Amino acid sequence: MKKILMGLLAVTLSVTAMAENKVGIGAGVGVSDSIYKGADDKAYPMPLLDINYGDFYVKGITVGYQFYKDDAFAASLFVDPLAGFAVDGADLAKGYDNIDDRKFQAMFGIRLDADTGFYGVRTGLTAQVGEHGGEGKISAFKAYKVDERLTIVPSIHVKGYSGDYTDYYFGVSSEEARRNSKIDNSYKADAAYSFGANLTADYKLTDNVALMAFLGVERFSSEVSDSPIVEDGVLYLVGVGAKYYF
């Protein structure tokens, strides 16, 4: 899903050199398979916003306020309006499609970014919370400037999810189990984790226009993959986009 696609884009928007001191506006499309049983792969339109106004910023769809910054460290508060793993129950395969819908949630959090001083590797640490629980993420990434036009950003990360968060999106109530012929028992999902790897590229077509592409994979722990409404614990993502810088 959309949540992971937007998070992947935020890494690129944060580190590509072209964005420095400029306003970027664009659009892209991302495609991912679904973690839920029988749900089809989906394409998601995505705004590619890269806006800085004083200490305020917009990256992708995340809105933030940077309250500290020096040469090696930055800290900010942010709002992610479309967090979570939303799905309509009717999109699942027959026998699973009578579950309750899972909705996106707005999450509020803090982000810390640091330069490790080790070959240009940067790290990020986020913690955020919403109506249905919280999650945290630690990541490491490095921008490789291949030439004056092309920048490639590989990254890795680990995420942790609270029990409330995991149970809302992947748990199954006893009532849902009774309503669905292929679900034998209720399932309470405990706190979980996932880890992933991403590769993004930013190509400076002109002084004002950039093209983007990205791909990624995310693997979830057994607390998620063992859920009766989950197909398996792996997601694959790919997408493209374009931005115009003022």
Side-chain angles (χ1 to χ4, degrees):
M1 337 226 33
K2 190 170 186 175
K3 165 191 171 53
I4 299 178
L5 289 163
M6 294 309 303
L8 195 160
L9 282 173
V11 172
T12 302
L13 293 169
S14 297
V15 300
T16 49
M18 189 175 180
E20 188 173 346
N21 298 321
K22 290 189 176 184
V23 173
I25 297 176
V29 61
V31 179
S32 75
D33 56 351
S34 176
I35 199 169
Y36 292 103
K37 292 257 187 181
D40 294 334
D41 297 354
K42 286 190 176 181
Y44 299 94
M46 294 176 296
L48 301 181
L49 302 178
D50 192 8
I51 301 170
N52 296 278
Y53 184 79
D55 293 323
F56 292 92
Y57 65 83
V58 181
K59 302 290 184 184
I61 59 171
T62 299
V63 180
Y65 172 75
Q66 190 172 82
F67 61 87
Y68 180 84
K69 180 177 174 60
D70 60 26
D71 291 340
F73 181 80
S76 62
L77 301 173
F78 66 89
V79 178
D80 180 355
L82 291 178
F85 297 85
V87 69
D88 292 335
D91 290 340
L92 273 65
K94 188 173 178 59
Y96 302 95
D97 55 346
N98 225 3
I99 67 165
D100 298 331
D101 297 342
R102 273 62 170 168
K103 303 293 187 182
F104 286 120
Q105 61 175 318
M107 299 188 78
F108 304 86
I110 185 170
R111 178 178 178 91
L112 308 176
D113 290 284
D115 186 344
T116 65
F118 181 74
Y119 294 100
V121 175
R122 296 187 62 85
T123 60
L125 176 65
T126 63
Q128 58 190 48
V129 65
E131 179 183 1
H132 302 296
E135 67 170 282
K137 175 182 175 182
I138 184 169
S139 59
F141 50 89
K142 179 178 179 178
Y144 290 92
K145 192 159 184 163
V146 179
D147 55 33
E148 290 302 312
R149 294 184 178 273
L150 178 62
T151 302
I152 295 176
V153 186
S155 64
I156 56 174
H157 64 262
V158 177
K159 295 181 181 180
Y161 309 93
S162 72
D164 288 344
Y165 182 103
T166 309
D167 195 48
Y168 174 74
Y169 288 107
F170 307 112
V172 176
S173 69
S174 57
E175 176 59 31
E176 287 176 312
R178 283 193 294 269
R179 295 199 307 257
N180 290 272
S181 61
K182 292 189 177 179
I183 301 178
D184 297 326
N185 299 295
S186 62
Y187 180 78
K188 181 171 177 56
D190 295 324
Y193 67 89
S194 68
F195 56 91
N198 306 313
L199 182 67
T200 63
D202 186 292
Y203 184 77
K204 188 177 177 182
L205 194 63
T206 70
D207 288 341
N208 299 99
V209 177
L211 304 178
M212 299 176 61
F214 57 90
L215 56 88
V217 60
E218 188 96 7
R219 177 178 288 275
F220 295 83
S221 64
S222 60
E223 291 81 5
V224 173
S225 62
D226 287 348
S227 167
I229 59 173
V230 169
E231 186 68 42
D232 60 46
V234 182
L235 282 176
Y236 298 95
L237 317 104
V238 64
V240 294
K243 288 185 294 178
Y244 184 85
Y245 287 93
F246 298 89

